[in-house]
Amino acid sequence: MTEPLIVGAMVRTLGAYPSGWRQDGAHRDPAGDADILRRVAQAGEDAGLDYLFFGDWLATGPDLEFRDPYLLARIDPVSAVLFLAGITSRIGLIATVNTTYADPYTTARSLASLDVLTRGRAGVNLVTGAEPRAAGNHGRDAHADNENRYDRAEEFVTALRRLWDSWSEDAWIADAARGVLIDPDGLRPAALQGTHLGVAGPLNVARPPQGQIPIVHAGTSARSRALAATEADLALIAAPTLVDAIEVRRLLRTTAAAAGRAPDALKVIAPVLPVVADTDADAHRIVERLLALVPLAEGHQRGRTAFPANRTIAALADALEVAPDEPLRAAAFDDEVTAEQAARLGATGAALVERLARIAGLGVGTRHPLTWRHLVAAHAVPAAFVVGGAATIADHFETWRDEGGADGFNVLSAFQPAQFEAFTRLAAPELRRRGLLGRDGENLRERLGVAAQPALQTAHA
């Protein structure tokens, strides 16, 4: 029997779609994040999800309001998982740490502490950072180049593993009669002095219940994929189509095998943004509303700082390689797209029109007419939408598993808390009925189905 998928939630309290916070009833004030985190954690755990995942971004600025508003103000991910540790009992908790700026000893200590306090539910997503403004926030003149960042990241992984391996499994004796608390030979230094960082150790936290805490990594560069394939337990991929996902998963597992790992030791996780409702039609109307609420270059948006340049009809026409003198460039956002205009949008435009029919039920000359606003918004703000009732969502998950596109999914929600709760209330039971959700395991590593990392005793004894 095929084992269930790995299913986690990528938590963004302001929603994963830029206009999600504008939906009626959506959470839109970061000061109230604690309440949303409680609701998400409870719903996710009750539904049987495997983990909650918290990303990170080490800077902010007005440009994020339109591009990624959830990045403007967000809880530190390690703080978030520590907060949720006391109000959950089964679900895994994965926090993101930026290896370019973090200290490996502090990171190893906080995550080992989390693992002890949660009895083995900790995980860490290691990133190298892509935001240049983060450098100034950490007292540096410039963000490090790709090669140096990944050289440091590789040393960071080694440091974490040596520190988590500071204590042997049998080092803690606690023999009150003899007055012997530990076996000193079971406490080892890290003794790492690399090109980019050094750490002495040992770690002053007990051995994590998982031994080695599961490591997650995401990225598209060659160095990033190499790090994921050789060191990570979960590789997060960004693949726009199933065909792309199959190829990326194949490449990652081939690289893992070349490094001496069993290919299935690396689990490949794809993002998905399900818009869930009782019926496909109801879900389509939610997507239509999300698209209608995307700020475009009109009225009050003119002159706003860092407003995206791609949110105009002219920008869409340029992207679709429409002729400069084409009359459709003069259309207004709320004009309906005519059949004649749609025919002049080329192959890429035709694919966009087809996608909007699929995700929002919009069409040329239908009772739910396609407008230029819909076209511009869908092109400017793409998302991995899967839209519909429970069966539609489950079909997507099942197809990607059966075709070899992914070992699991990171579920994003367009807005909180309604869309995540719709996923857990409607889609999760159908996923469980089909055997796609509901993995077993005493800790996160077992639940993910990733083999325990061997102890590093001989590496630095």
Side-chain angles (χ1 to χ4, degrees), residues 161 165 169 207 211-212 445 451-457 459:
R161 289 193 169 143
D165 197 44
E169 292 183 1
R207 184 178 183 84
Q212 293 292 318
R445 180 172 286 281
Q453 292 286 340
L456 300 179
Q457 296 178 17

Side-chain angles (χ1 to χ4, degrees), residues 97-99 101-108 152 156 160 198:
V97 171
N98 191 313
T99 62
Y101 301 107
D103 172 72
Y105 190 91
T106 302
T107 300
R152 177 181 167 88
F156 202 100
L160 291 181

Side-chain angles (χ1 to χ4, degrees), residues 32 57 183 279 382 411:
W57 199 256
D183 175 3
T279 68
V411 175

Side-chain angles (χ1 to χ4, degrees), residues 161-253:
R161 289 193 169 143
R162 290 191 183 186
L163 288 165
W164 290 332
D165 197 44
S166 292
W167 294 88
S168 296
E169 292 183 1
D170 57 355
W172 207 266
I173 297 173
D175 187 331
R178 292 192 296 133
V180 177
L181 187 58
I182 68 167
D183 175 3
D185 291 335
L187 181 60
R188 297 178 296 275
L192 173 66
Q193 188 56 57
T195 302
H196 298 273
L197 54 83
V199 61
L203 190 65
N204 63 338
V205 178
R207 184 178 183 84
Q210 297 182 92
Q212 293 292 318
I213 292 170
I215 290 175
V216 183
H217 185 63
T220 57
S221 72
R223 285 296 302 273
S224 174
R225 288 184 175 174
L227 181 65
T230 57
E231 301 293 352
D233 299 294
L234 299 188
L236 308 186
I237 64 170
T241 70
L242 175 57
V243 171
D244 294 325
I246 292 170
E247 178 62 12
V248 171
R249 182 171 178 263
R250 184 191 67 78
L251 288 172
L252 286 168
R253 290 192 155 194

Side-chain angles (χ1 to χ4, degrees), residues 11-295:
V11 182
R12 296 174 179 175
T13 56
L14 286 185
Y17 196 75
S19 63
W21 66 272
R22 300 182 66 189
Q23 286 277 353
D24 292 341
H27 175 63
R28 56 179 63 105
D29 183 0
D33 276 1
D35 294 333
I36 296 300
L37 291 178
R38 287 190 187 95
R39 288 182 66 166
V40 167
Q42 188 64 60
E45 187 159 80
D46 289 348
L49 269 63
D50 297 307
Y51 60 79
L52 302 174
F53 177 101
F54 293 85
D56 203 11
W57 199 256
L58 298 178
T60 192
D63 57 301
L64 296 175
E65 176 183 352
F66 307 106
R67 180 166 56 89
D68 292 306
Y70 72 92
L71 294 176
L72 278 165
R74 63 189 303 177
I75 301 298
D76 164 70
V78 175
S79 300
V81 295
L82 288 170
F83 169 68
L84 294 177
I87 57 178
T88 57
S89 59
R90 300 182 306 278
I91 198 164
L93 300 167
I94 300 177
T96 293
V97 171
N98 191 313
T99 62
T100 303
Y101 301 107
D103 172 72
Y105 190 91
T106 302
T107 300
R109 189 178 187 222
S110 62
L111 291 166
S113 298
L114 174 67
D115 208 47
V116 170
L117 293 172
T118 61
R119 294 181 172 86
R121 294 191 286 130
V124 60
N125 174 44
L126 298 179
V127 301
T128 67
E131 170 55 83
R133 289 175 289 196
N137 291 338
H138 293 82
R140 304 187 189 183
D141 294 332
H143 194 50
D145 63 68
N146 193 67
E147 290 302 307
N148 278 316
R149 294 202 317 272
Y150 277 98
D151 288 345
R152 177 181 167 88
E154 289 171 355
E155 292 181 7
F156 202 100
V157 171
T158 300
L160 291 181
R161 289 193 169 143
R162 290 191 183 186
L163 288 165
W164 290 332
D165 197 44
S166 292
W167 294 88
S168 296
E169 292 183 1
D170 57 355
W172 207 266
I173 297 173
D175 187 331
R178 292 192 296 133
V180 177
L181 187 58
I182 68 167
D183 175 3
D185 291 335
L187 181 60
R188 297 178 296 275
L192 173 66
Q193 188 56 57
T195 302
H196 298 273
L197 54 83
V199 61
L203 190 65
N204 63 338
V205 178
R207 184 178 183 84
Q210 297 182 92
Q212 293 292 318
I213 292 170
I215 290 175
V216 183
H217 185 63
T220 57
S221 72
R223 285 296 302 273
S224 174
R225 288 184 175 174
L227 181 65
T230 57
E231 301 293 352
D233 299 294
L234 299 188
L236 308 186
I237 64 170
T241 70
L242 175 57
V243 171
D244 294 325
I246 292 170
E247 178 62 12
V248 171
R249 182 171 178 263
R250 184 191 67 78
L251 288 172
L252 286 168
R253 290 192 155 194
T254 298
T255 305
R261 300 181 69 187
D264 60 359
L266 178 66
K267 305 298 183 182
V268 178
I269 310 298
V272 63
L273 203 167
V275 175
V276 193
D278 290 308
T279 68
D280 286 3
D282 290 340
H284 287 157
R285 300 290 73 79
I286 294 173
V287 176
E288 181 182 13
R289 179 66 174 160
L290 287 169
L291 294 170
L293 291 174
V294 172

